[in-house]
Amino acid sequence: MKTLASSPGLLFRLGAPVSVILAAILVMILVTCALMASWIAPYDPTDLASFELMNAELPPAFTAEGDTRFLLGTDNQGRDLLSAMLYGARVSIAIGGGAVLLAATLGVTLGLLAGYFGGRVDALIMRIADVILSFPTILLALLVSGIARAIFPGAATAEWAPIILICAIAIHEWVQYARTVRAAAMVEAAKDYVRAAKVIGLPPWRIMLRHILPNVMSPVLVISTINLAAAVLTEATLSFLGVGMPPTYPSLGTLIRIGNEFVFSGIWWIALFPALALVILVLAVNVVGDWLRDRFNPKLRVKR
Amino acid sequence: MKAISTPVLAVDGLRVEYPLANGTVFTAVENASLVIRPGEIHALVGESGAGKTTIGNTVMGLLERPGRIAAGSIHIEGKRFDPTKGSAKDVVLGRDVGAVFQDPMTSLNPLFTIESQLTEAMRYHLRLDKAAARTRALELLRAVGIPEPERRLKAYPHQLSGGQRQRVVIAAALSCNPRLIVADEPTTALDVSVQAQILKLLRNLADERGIGILLVTHNMGVVAQIADRVTIMHRGKVVETGTTEEVLRRPKADYAKALIGAVPRIDQRLDRFPVLGEEGKGRADEARTELRARAEGMDEAPSDAPILSVENLCVDYITSGWLPGSRGHSFRAVDNVSFSVHSGEVFGLVGESGCGKTTIANVVSGLVRPTAGRVLYRGQSIAGEGATRRVGPLRQAIQMIFQDPYSSLNSRMRIGSILSEPILFYRLASSRTEAERDVARLIEAVGLDADAAQRFPHAFSGGQKQRLSIARALGARPRLIVCDEPTSSLDVSVQAQILNLLKDLRDATGLTLLLISHDLAVVRQMCDRVAVMRQGMLLEQADSETLFDAPQHAYTQELLSLVPTLDRIRGETKAA
Amino acid sequence: MLKVLLSRLGQAALVMLVVSAVSFVMFRYVGDPVATMSRENASVEEKAELRRSLGLDQPLLVQYGRFLTRTLRGDLGISYRNQRPVTQLIAERLPATLELVIVATVLSLALGIPLGVLCALKPNGMAARLVQALSLVGISTPTFVTGIVLILVFAVTLGWLPSFGRGQIVSIGWWSTGFLTASGLKSLLLPGITLALYQLTLIMRLVRAEMIDVLSSDYIRFARARGLPSRYIHFRLALRNALMPVITVTGLQIGSLIAFAIVTETVFQWPGMGLLFIQAVSFVDIPVMAAYLLFVGLLFVLINTVVDILYAVVDPRLRARSA
């Protein structure tokens, strides 16, 4: 999860506008809050014993019927919404980050191989990538998590669900890394410094790691930032559809799913606050990612 | 010269500025003035960063934001022209000023037919109807010498060759009868033979139609061949202006003298290029002596056997098919080429782009495998039939320097690591400190300061990077260096320095050089023997003097007659 | 042309083969068909008999071959959940999804292209900056959140538009359409907008990026140097170049809209294929999942192939290479 979004200082030196730096600071605050959820959350939402049904569906503290104990109100089981959101954000960010890390590792490796060797290796990797790319992220992710649930019953539990989600998201996302790195590696491999390394007789792995990799890293960092936002969204969507994190260990998406059932009865806060948190988090990451993309590579585009 | 006719272009005291992010202002052009009369070709020359293209763009109305005209005026046919607005009262861009760009491959829109691109300006500016515009487009295509104009009108740009595209671009520039054409490096992207045709076409347009042409170029040979007048620019300022003959034969300003002196001559061989303020020679000699001592230690007993022999070499490029096992098109890049290079000489391989010379360089240095034939190094096969694996001393013996100094050094590595990589890889130093000492020596040997090792490549100019690239090649302690167009992306004065450096290194260390170049003049200045290639075949090889003074093959003769050089200045009566 | 076509068809066949293999593997190995299809207390013999009659004792390749022939005949099995032929289920749900996708595609192209051009031509204008900022919000808001907010505002609070279902529909043969009644059209509005919003921002950003790219190209500079009016340069010359990649992306987008319909249909309880699929996923109704995958795979491949051929027709460079 080491994306450029998490370093406002660097952004400042790159000459980013104020809005981008503010967005980066916001990302940092959100991420810190989420990571420290177990210390700063007023209640422990995973402790079933702590909820009381008589506290269920309390509106936010600032409304007329609000309860000062629960700043953003409670959900249908009497769980403090703010605490659930902090823990939920932690789950969302961890899964998003995990997916980005897995996808980047896989994609960069395959992209380097394809770009450097070309020929059959390239054709094979890119053919697989094409097939995967002809399916949207969400469908592929649904299939992977659907199949996983069908194969082992434990898939929906809190232990396994994150791992399955990470794989389900990464299976599509790696393609973008592979394509970008391949294209960049092909450009670099044709440059004279790589020819010079070949004339010296350096082995291919060393040329790839020492010479080409550092020169293709900036687009990778840009994609990682944008993909972090996309991965958090995909996870939320899957959880919303009921194939992601279980209600006992909710992510932001799961919370919105729970809240969605109450929207019609005028209990808006259970869905709205997690949704707001999700949009703000993703938007902040996207603001940074968008600027970085324009800054580093105007030709790089979002595709899914 | 015509008497007092209104100039088609009069630039007076022009100053173009670019405000920078840090609040300061970069002055790209300072107080530039020039006048072009009808039928006159005025060349604007200078090295990169001289401001010549900025003037061209300004006159074409294409000055990019945030660039701005800070002072001065531009008159076109006596009418004041405000390029910031794109059009003034009576001057219309495209109608009164035609433009020709450098790269014909990108200046035509790939999605529209030639007809559409030729006629759109006429229909808009001259209000011609479709049929009239078409008739005129046909006339124009004939005028610029395109065969079968009816058929070409329906073609798309990608169906034409580079030379034909540039003719279409010129036709489009002519379409509304402009009095002035601005041509920005119009032949730089073209081969010598096509260049000669395009230059002739431009000259005819000036002579027959009385069009004034502002020719922006870096090539002195081109200037000599077709320009009536020349303005030399340096760092945004005009340093010299006058008739072509005056400026090229009797330059007054120091910079102009140096620039012209640095242009390689094709008519006679000089010992060294005259160069203004050559970069640090200081400790270079000492370092080179050390290199030499080391090299001699490695050399086997001198023998008459060639250091490199290329025997019946063939290289096919096969584009691989979509399915595994299927074969795509095959293209023969090198066709049965044989030559040999003797120890200590500079051997030149010349030809136009696509003739296979770079492929040969790649085979010799082990980047490409031959399809047939073989390459021998001191009698031992290193590529093709019976080749032994290139490891250790064999690999070390042949190193390479490249064309583009901006891409030949890895921008993410310090110079020190780049230069020590071959030394450590071949185990030429027993420790890291010893390698560092070697690197310092190498940097001094190519005329730079040893503290360069601490810096990254972006801190150096193109010429300095090329020096470092040479140092890297020397680090492996090679006996043969393949130089693939080592100076063709450098400015002419820097080229002179690099060529001098290569000569010095050869003299100091007894290296053998295989020089690949498209530039006949460079080859003449550098090489002892030369081979000429065309379409993958070797046409002729001979001693440098013999080849240039009495070429045997018709193609060589043609090339030599077409290449624009300083010794053939337009309008100059041949000095006896 | 023929070559492009053949290579495209080859690739399409490859994709379909992969998809059918995945489908088959799901069908065959995920869950136990015998357990799901036999009675609660079937004997071992009965189960073996069922296994034989289903052909599950045959070699794998034979089973795959049979699966393929059955599929090609249109027999995709019986849904575990509601015991009806899957083909029939999909045929019932198809019109609802396709109508939603058509509305969303038209909306996203009709708004996305002009907005993208606007942002490219006046990148520093107020309107362009606002659109740019909104587009970032657009790609940062998940479809289901958009849907929930729209329902909260227009259905729950204002009560203007229905929040679920297709409204009144009219049957034309086997196709049922919501385009012909007022309530059908009203019902299409919210889900249509929800589905279109994300795609709209993508198209808009793509058009903007392409247009900016094209405007800085040499051939546009050359057109400027010929003194052509800027409206002509922008809308006749540059727009055509900029729209080339939009063709490809629109193709991909239609595929992605079909997939995203899953989310929209869940939020709006829209009786389409997506809802069918998501219900199948939660009930582990393998035949429906497999069939949906096959069917959507086929749609994607068809769309992509059509787009590639279209591209080859529009771009003279490809046209000539293949001629």
Side-chain angles (χ1 to χ4, degrees):
Chain A
M1 229 202 344
K2 193 174 176 286
T3 61
L4 285 173
S6 47
S7 47
L10 179 64
L11 290 173
F12 188 74
R13 265 178 288 142
L14 288 172
V18 182
S19 57
V20 174
I21 293 174
L22 286 181
I25 292 172
L26 187 61
V27 173
M28 267 186 63
I29 294 173
L30 289 175
V31 170
T32 318
C33 287
L35 292 183
M36 295 175 52
S38 36
W39 288 284
I40 57 175
Y43 302 89
D44 181 358
T46 55
D47 179 11
L48 290 163
S50 72
F51 334 142
E52 284 176 44
L53 264 177
M54 58 173 288
N55 288 337
E57 296 164 28
L58 285 174
F62 49 82
T63 58
E65 300 119 67
D67 188 320
T68 44
R69 285 177 300 163
F70 307 109
L71 183 63
L72 297 180
T74 59
D75 71 358
N76 58 328
Q77 298 176 55
R79 180 156 50 177
D80 175 48
L81 200 55
L82 177 64
S83 311
M85 278 167 57
L86 284 169
Y87 276 75
R90 185 169 73 176
V91 175
S92 294
I93 290 169
I95 292 177
V100 165
L101 213 62
L102 180 61
T105 315
L106 195 66
V108 170
T109 312
L110 292 176
L112 265 183
L113 291 172
Y116 183 79
F117 288 110
R120 297 274 150 77
V121 183
D122 181 31
L124 180 70
I125 294 174
M126 285 303 120
R127 211 49 58 196
I128 296 172
D130 281 349
V131 171
I132 287 183
L133 208 68
S134 55
F135 292 92
T137 319
I138 189 74
L139 185 65
L140 218 54
L142 269 171
L143 268 176
V144 171
S145 62
I147 292 173
R149 287 156 152 267
I151 294 174
F152 26 81
T157 60
E159 291 82 47
W160 281 99
I163 294 167
I164 288 165
L165 281 170
I166 286 174
C167 296
I169 297 166
I171 197 172
H172 191 274
E173 307 279 83
W174 71 266
V175 174
Q176 206 188 348
Y177 289 95
R179 287 192 146 197
T180 311
V181 169
R182 167 184 177 264
M186 282 173 103
V187 172
E188 296 301 320
K191 284 193 182 166
D192 287 341
Y193 74 87
V194 175
R195 288 171 76 202
K198 285 183 186 170
V199 171
I200 291 172
L202 300 180
W205 62 267
R206 183 156 162 186
I207 296 178
M208 275 189 274
L209 290 184
R210 196 168 148 81
H211 289 271
I212 298 179
L213 187 62
N215 283 290
V216 300
M217 273 321 271
S218 53
V220 169
L221 289 180
V222 175
I223 299 179
S224 295
T225 309
I226 294 166
N227 272 8
L228 178 65
V232 169
L233 279 188
T234 308
E235 185 280 325
T237 306
L238 290 175
S239 292
F240 176 79
L241 292 174
V243 293
M245 294 302 292
T248 46
Y249 204 71
S251 72
L252 289 175
T254 322
L255 291 174
I256 301 171
R257 173 186 172 80
I258 297 169
N260 188 35
E261 291 162 24
F262 296 89
V263 165
F264 293 103
S265 15
I267 302 172
W268 47 270
W269 57 91
I270 309 183
L272 204 65
F273 287 128
L276 215 58
L278 178 67
V279 173
I280 289 173
L281 172 66
V282 174
L283 181 62
V285 175
N286 269 335
V287 167
V288 178
D290 198 52
W291 177 80
L292 282 176
R293 186 182 45 189
D294 285 352
R295 171 82 167 62
F296 279 110
N297 190 353
K299 287 204 161 183
L300 201 76
R301 287 176 210 113
V302 233
K303 274 199 178 156
R304 42 162 214 192
Chain B
M1 285 290 114
K2 286 190 193 99
I4 323 118
S5 52
T6 328
V8 291
L9 174 71
V11 176
D12 191 35
L14 184 71
R15 177 184 162 97
V16 181
E17 294 178 341
Y18 287 87
L20 300 179
N22 59 12
T24 58
V25 168
F26 169 71
T27 309
V29 175
E30 171 104 67
N31 195 22
S33 306
L34 60 91
V35 171
I36 302 181
R37 298 189 183 279
E40 191 174 81
I41 297 184
H42 192 121
L44 195 55
V45 291
E47 299 185 299
S48 46
K52 57 189 194 302
T53 296
T54 307
I55 292 188
N57 280 343
T58 310
V59 173
M60 286 189 278
L62 294 177
L63 187 62
E64 306 254 334
R65 259 174 239 273
R68 60 166 189 245
I69 296 175
S73 67
I74 297 175
H75 285 82
I76 289 170
E77 288 193 82
K79 287 166 255 178
R80 193 182 167 96
F81 163 64
D82 180 6
T84 49
K85 289 204 187 85
S87 65
K89 248 189 292 168
D90 300 309
V91 182
V92 179
L93 283 170
R95 191 187 70 190
D96 303 315
V97 182
V100 177
F101 289 171
Q102 172 172 351
D103 190 353
M105 296 301 173
T106 57
S107 29
L108 294 171
N109 191 324
L111 298 186
F112 292 85
T113 58
I114 300 301
E115 175 170 2
S116 144
Q117 303 192 48
L118 260 183
T119 55
E120 56 193 1
M122 294 189 256
R123 298 192 61 189
Y124 176 72
H125 292 306
L126 307 180
R127 305 262 167 243
L128 294 183
D129 63 21
K130 206 170 176 179
R134 195 184 142 84
T135 319
R136 195 165 148 65
L138 282 173
E139 279 168 25
L140 285 169
L141 287 185
R142 269 187 216 106
V144 297
I146 287 193
E148 299 182 78
E150 288 87 357
R151 208 160 67 82
R152 297 295 178 213
L153 270 189
K154 290 192 198 70
Y156 286 92
H158 68 270
Q159 293 164 322
L160 306 183
S161 70
Q164 283 177 332
R165 286 192 209 189
Q166 196 63 313
R167 287 170 194 268
V168 171
V169 168
I170 293 173
L174 283 176
S175 63
C176 300
N177 288 321
R179 307 306 304 147
L180 171 69
I181 286 183
V182 180
D184 187 356
E185 303 274 6
T187 58
T188 305
L190 305 172
D191 267 335
V192 173
S193 46
V194 185
Q195 162 169 290
Q197 295 163 13
I198 297 289
L199 291 179
K200 203 169 152 213
L201 174 62
L202 289 175
R203 190 62 248 178
N204 286 346
L205 293 178
D207 291 345
E208 287 161 19
R209 300 183 180 220
I211 295 172
I213 297 178
L214 176 62
L215 176 73
V216 178
T217 184
H218 71 283
N219 188 328
M220 288 293 181
V222 167
V223 174
Q225 191 172 338
I226 68 164
D228 299 298
R229 296 180 69 82
V230 187
T231 294
I232 297 181
M233 292 190 70
H234 181 51
R235 294 190 185 149
K237 295 194 181 86
V238 171
V239 292
E240 180 126 358
T241 186
T243 67
T244 306
E245 206 237 327
E246 266 170 28
V247 173
L248 296 190
R249 286 285 180 245
R250 294 175 297 279
K252 289 186 270 306
D254 284 346
Y255 176 76
K257 281 183 196 156
L259 186 69
I260 291 161
V263 178
R265 302 180 62 112
I266 203 163
D267 54 340
Q268 63 181 68
R269 185 167 177 172
L270 303 172
D271 202 31
R272 280 176 69 86
F273 293 93
V275 165
L276 252 195
E278 192 151 7
E279 291 198 37
K281 289 263 295 173
R283 307 181 56 177
D285 292 333
E286 197 184 317
R288 284 173 196 161
T289 320
E290 195 177 317
L291 285 183
R292 177 181 184 101
R294 219 187 258 159
E296 280 170 345
M298 287 186 53
D299 247 351
E300 294 106 61
S303 72
D304 287 341
I307 186 168
L308 182 80
S309 333
V310 172
E311 295 178 355
N312 307 100
L313 189 72
C314 295
V315 181
D316 290 343
Y317 283 123
I318 299 163
T319 53
S320 62
W322 185 71
L323 292 170
S326 71
R327 286 210 150 189
H329 307 283
S330 139
F331 162 72
R332 178 144 287 199
V334 176
D335 194 1
N336 200 18
V337 167
S338 304
F339 62 88
S340 50
V341 180
H342 297 284
S343 195
E345 75 175 346
V346 181
F347 189 90
L349 212 48
V350 281
E352 296 183 288
S353 57
C355 72
K357 57 190 192 298
T358 294
T359 305
I360 292 181
N362 285 340
V363 171
V364 170
S365 48
L367 292 171
V368 168
R369 275 176 204 205
T371 312
R374 57 181 185 163
V375 177
L376 304 173
Y377 172 75
R378 290 197 203 277
Q380 190 175 358
S381 176
I382 52 168
E385 292 146 31
T388 41
R389 252 189 98 210
R390 270 193 215 209
V391 281
L394 208 52
R395 180 121 230 169
Q396 230 180 297
I398 302 177
Q399 293 294 318
M400 192 168 182
I401 55 182
F402 302 91
Q403 172 175 355
D404 181 10
Y406 293 92
S407 79
S408 67
L409 303 173
N410 187 342
S411 55
R412 305 284 165 134
M413 283 164 77
R414 282 179 206 280
I415 299 300
S417 334
I418 293 174
L419 296 193
S420 60
E421 196 163 32
I423 298 174
L424 294 169
F425 183 73
Y426 295 125
R427 299 180 202 287
L428 297 178
S430 53
S431 67
R432 218 160 253 283
T433 24
E434 199 188 317
E436 274 166 29
R437 214 193 65 88
D438 271 11
V439 166
R441 274 277 172 251
L442 287 170
I443 295 173
E444 283 168 4
V446 296
L448 295 175
D449 282 333
D451 62 359
Q454 304 308 316
R455 288 186 273 169
F456 283 98
H458 65 77
F460 299 91
S461 69
Q464 290 172 324
K465 282 183 188 164
Q466 201 61 313
R467 286 170 190 267
L468 292 166
S469 188
I470 294 170
R472 172 178 54 197
L474 290 173
R477 301 184 193 172
R479 300 310 306 141
L480 172 72
I481 295 187
V482 181
C483 311
D484 185 6
E485 302 270 11
T487 57
S488 60
S489 37
L490 300 174
D491 278 329
V492 62
S493 61
V494 183
Q495 161 171 292
Q497 295 183 17
I498 296 294
L499 293 178
N500 278 347
L501 172 66
L502 284 173
K503 281 189 175 191
D504 292 346
L505 286 170
R506 199 273 301 255
D507 294 346
T509 65
L511 270 171
T512 310
L513 301 180
L514 174 59
L515 179 76
I516 314 289
S517 181
H518 71 283
D519 189 330
L520 289 162
V522 165
V523 169
R524 165 126 220 197
Q525 292 306 314
M526 292 297 292
C527 299
D528 303 310
R529 286 193 308 133
V530 183
V532 181
M533 286 189 71
R534 185 182 61 177
Q535 290 168 6
M537 281 178 286
L538 200 142
L539 301 180
E540 172 172 17
Q541 57 174 317
D543 281 350
S544 197
E545 301 302 306
T546 322
L547 189 108
F548 281 92
D549 293 336
Q552 296 301 306
H553 198 283
Y555 176 72
T556 317
Q557 291 163 356
E558 193 196 333
L559 267 188
L560 280 173
S561 71
L562 290 177
V563 60
T565 55
L566 279 186
D567 53 295
R568 290 192 287 262
I569 291 182
R570 180 185 141 73
E572 187 181 55
T573 43
K574 194 85 182 165
Chain C
M1 196 49 144
L2 197 66
K3 214 170 160 188
V4 173
L5 196 71
L6 281 180
S7 118
R8 285 306 310 171
L9 287 180
Q11 199 177 331
L14 189 77
V15 173
M16 279 322 290
L17 217 63
V18 172
V19 171
S20 67
V22 172
S23 251
F24 168 70
V25 169
M26 273 172 68
F27 211 83
R28 174 66 186 81
Y29 292 101
V30 179
D32 181 3
V34 177
T36 7
M37 288 176 78
S38 54
R39 287 182 297 116
E40 198 85 355
N41 45 6
S43 66
V44 180
E45 289 76 36
E46 273 177 310
K47 283 189 179 169
E49 175 55 35
L50 185 62
R51 186 174 294 276
R52 236 190 325 282
S53 71
L54 288 173
L56 296 180
D57 52 345
Q58 303 276 326
L60 198 64
L61 271 178
V62 177
Q63 288 188 42
Y64 180 49
R66 280 195 187 168
F67 173 80
L68 279 185
T69 32
R70 270 199 299 132
T71 306
L72 288 176
R73 280 205 311 267
D75 176 8
L76 294 167
I78 309 273
S79 159
Y80 296 163
R81 192 161 72 96
N82 40 17
Q83 297 296 323
R84 289 175 57 200
V86 173
T87 326
Q88 205 183 330
L89 282 174
I90 289 195
E92 262 174 39
R93 303 293 195 100
L94 182 67
T97 298
L98 284 191
E99 286 189 352
L100 190 59
V101 168
I102 290 169
V103 169
T105 309
V106 171
L107 269 179
S108 56
L109 287 178
L111 292 173
I113 295 176
L115 286 177
V117 172
L118 172 85
C119 288
L121 292 185
K122 291 214 160 58
N124 294 321
M126 272 300 283
R129 284 172 165 224
L130 191 70
V131 172
Q132 265 296 93
L134 283 181
S135 85
L136 264 183
V137 178
I139 60 163
S140 306
T141 311
T143 313
F144 58 94
V145 170
T146 315
I148 291 173
V149 171
L150 286 180
I151 288 179
L152 257 176
V153 175
F154 291 99
V156 177
T157 314
L158 296 172
W160 291 351
L161 295 166
S163 65
F164 63 92
R166 293 183 77 189
Q168 257 187 307
I169 48 172
V170 179
S171 297
I172 303 168
W174 61 274
W175 187 277
S176 60
T177 178
F179 282 142
L180 297 175
T181 63
S183 88
L185 286 174
K186 266 173 125 179
S187 306
L188 264 170
L189 218 51
L190 287 188
I193 292 173
T194 306
L195 189 54
L197 214 59
Y198 196 97
Q199 314 301 321
L200 191 160
T201 52
L202 282 186
I203 300 250
M204 182 236 120
R205 293 165 73 84
L206 176 73
V207 171
R208 171 181 170 267
E210 285 300 326
M211 193 79 179
I212 287 177
D213 215 32
V214 170
L215 285 177
S216 66
S217 70
D218 255 9
Y219 51 82
I220 293 299
R221 281 185 66 221
F222 187 54
R224 286 194 205 287
R226 277 177 288 160
L228 298 170
S230 18
R231 190 182 296 171
Y232 179 88
I233 293 179
H234 295 156
F235 295 104
R236 180 158 154 75
L237 303 181
L239 188 59
R240 191 190 294 195
N241 297 82
L243 286 184
M244 297 303 286
V246 177
I247 296 176
T248 319
V249 170
T250 305
L252 285 174
Q253 289 314 322
I254 292 177
S256 136
L257 280 174
I258 292 174
F260 261 79
I262 296 171
V263 183
T264 314
E265 290 177 8
T266 309
V267 177
F268 289 92
Q269 291 298 302
W270 188 262
M273 294 194 304
L275 198 60
L276 181 72
F277 177 69
I278 200 70
Q279 283 160 353
V281 171
S282 33
F283 282 92
V284 198
D285 191 348
I286 295 296
V288 175
M289 281 169 72
Y292 178 85
L293 174 66
L294 262 178
F295 191 76
V296 171
L298 182 67
L299 271 181
F300 286 179
V301 166
L302 275 181
I303 293 168
N304 283 344
T305 311
V306 168
V307 162
D308 277 355
I309 292 170
L310 200 68
Y311 201 89
V313 172
V314 180
D315 191 328
R317 285 164 293 189
L318 291 176
R319 217 187 298 157
R321 199 183 303 153
S322 44

